Amino acid sequence: MLQFSHEVFFEVAKQLSFSKAGEILFISQPAISRHIKSLEEHYHISLFERKGNSILLTEEGKLLFNYLEKATELQRQLEFDITTFTDTKAAKGSLVIGASTTVALYVIPKILSAFHQKYPEINLRLVNRNSETILKALLEREIDFAIMEGKNKITSAKYKFFMTDQVVPVCSVKSPLAKRKKIEAAELKDIPIALRERGSGTLSAVTEGLEKLKIHIGDLNNRIILGGTEALKNFLLSDTCLGFLPLRSVIKQNKSGESVRLHLPGLHIPREIYFVQRQGSENDKINNLFIKLALQQYNKKL
């Protein structure tokens, strides 16, 4: 088993930050420093270069990191295989899942709960970012696998279909648009609109959907850009702008009458949600355990 000092170094090396590593490991920054110093004294090397307020790995640090990357994965798989040799429900291990905003808020919580109840000894961690940064985290091995919208053409990731969602135009019941319920595509250039930030799966889906109607995203009367589904939803509920949100995120508000789903003839924005794994990790047993349960629990359309 890896020493805790190695785990501390590994996290610091991934984050390139003593403070961020401390937050993830739930230990103080002085404790982080002591563990790093202990390793440096043990190996008689420097693991990090200090440059102002930032740190970089030394060549020796990079070497140790590369070995620990392999060792960490072997330890994770070994612990799982040993504990499940006679009983799968006794599984031990860890799983770090990256999920895009909509998935993290409206899809994955019930799956996490079901998985935790079935395999209580597997430590779970959820990383919630927009689609672009989640994919980056996957390729940089910050997470074990991802659940996100849409496919990227990169060859270093493998995609497996999970479920279908859709993005719909909505507004607050306070908006003058709410009384109409139906708007024409040509009007989008004049109606005040709020959008998600660049890199979000929702914005990508909206861009693609509008292009089918010969409308460029840059032609919209965009008044504000917000990061995150909840931020956009809460803004729209308080404002008169039109916005585009995943249907799953506004089901309750539409039913309660706080928001209104608008009809825009010809606009259909479906999007597929995928499990994404690094090339070569498709047979990871813990990942596939979660994926199997997720498909059983939540593979349905709206």
Side-chain angles (χ1 to χ4, degrees):
M1 300 294 284
L2 292 174
Q3 296 178 3
F4 186 59
S5 292
H6 286 110
E7 294 179 18
V8 170
F9 163 77
F10 190 61
E11 197 60 52
V12 174
K14 285 194 294 183
Q15 304 298 329
L16 288 179
S17 168
F18 280 50
S19 58
K20 288 181 181 178
E23 290 173 6
I24 292 171
L25 296 171
F26 299 103
I27 60 176
S28 67
Q29 193 166 328
I32 293 278
S33 299
R34 286 196 296 272
H35 283 289
I36 298 301
K37 184 179 180 181
S38 172
L39 281 180
E40 289 180 328
E41 290 176 350
H42 176 75
Y43 291 116
H44 304 291
I45 57 172
S46 293
L47 295 170
F48 295 99
E49 294 179 37
R50 277 75 174 178
K51 290 192 175 182
N53 294 325
S54 62
I55 59 172
L56 296 172
L57 282 167
T58 61
E59 290 304 313
E60 295 89 343
K62 291 177 183 177
L63 180 64
L64 180 58
F65 178 79
N66 289 336
Y67 272 101
L68 287 178
E69 194 169 54
K70 298 171 186 175
T72 300
E73 183 56 31
L74 283 173
Q75 177 174 290
R76 177 173 171 266
Q77 293 298 330
L78 171 63
E79 187 172 33
F80 178 81
D81 286 342
I82 288 292
T83 55
T84 59
F85 196 75
T86 56
D87 182 8
T88 304
K89 293 182 179 180
K92 288 187 177 181
S94 64
L95 182 60
V96 183
I97 305 166
S100 53
T101 306
T102 301
V103 174
L105 290 173
Y106 305 107
V107 176
I108 204 172
K110 66 184 298 183
I111 304 172
L112 287 171
S113 175
F115 189 86
H116 176 65
Q117 291 177 47
K118 193 168 185 179
Y119 308 104
E121 297 301 317
I122 294 181
N123 295 319
L124 295 170
R125 182 157 69 91
L126 175 65
V127 176
N128 172 18
R129 302 174 190 166
N130 69 32
S131 298
E132 188 175 277
T133 49
I134 280 296
L135 183 59
K136 182 174 182 289
L138 176 70
L139 299 180
E140 294 181 353
R141 296 178 177 272
E142 293 179 30
I143 58 179
D144 296 313
F145 79 98
I147 307 177
M148 53 185 281
E149 304 92 345
K151 277 187 176 183
N152 193 297
K153 294 181 181 179
I154 59 173
T155 57
S156 50
K158 296 286 287 185
Y159 290 78
K160 179 183 177 67
F161 175 75
F162 176 27
M163 67 197 312
T164 299
D165 190 18
Q166 59 179 310
V167 179
V168 296
V170 296
C171 69
S172 167
V173 69
K174 305 172 187 176
S175 172
L177 298 170
K179 297 178 182 178
R180 297 175 53 187
K181 294 192 177 182
K182 175 182 175 182
I183 57 176
E184 298 298 329
E187 296 181 77
L188 291 178
K189 297 181 180 180
D190 300 312
I191 295 172
I193 292 176
L195 295 172
R196 281 287 307 275
E197 82 288 1
R198 182 179 178 182
S200 80
T202 299
L203 182 63
S204 296
V206 170
T207 300
E208 187 176 333
L210 290 176
E211 284 178 351
K212 293 177 182 177
L213 297 179
K214 309 300 182 185
I215 297 175
H216 188 271
I217 195 78
D219 295 332
L220 300 181
N221 183 19
N222 180 212
R223 295 294 181 85
I224 186 169
I225 295 174
L226 294 112
T229 302
E230 282 295 292
L232 177 56
K233 181 174 74 175
N234 289 329
F235 171 80
L236 290 173
L237 291 174
S238 302
D239 200 81
T240 57
C241 281
L242 177 150
F244 297 92
L245 285 169
L247 181 56
R248 294 178 187 277
S249 70
V250 287
I251 289 176
K252 290 182 180 179
Q253 287 73 25
N254 288 348
K255 285 183 178 179
S256 69
E258 293 177 83
S259 63
V260 175
R261 177 180 175 180
L262 301 170
H263 176 56
L264 202 159
L267 181 66
H268 182 51
I269 312 178
R271 60 177 185 175
E272 295 181 331
I273 297 173
Y274 294 88
F275 301 109
V276 192
Q277 294 178 276
R278 287 184 297 277
Q279 188 77 259
S281 68
E282 303 92 325
N283 295 321
D284 184 291
K285 294 177 182 178
I286 305 179
N287 291 359
N288 289 332
L289 203 62
F290 188 93
I291 290 171
K292 181 180 179 181
L293 184 141
L295 288 170
Q296 293 171 347
Q297 290 281 319
Y298 215 136
N299 195 9
K300 62 181 181 180
K301 298 181 179 180
L302 284 183

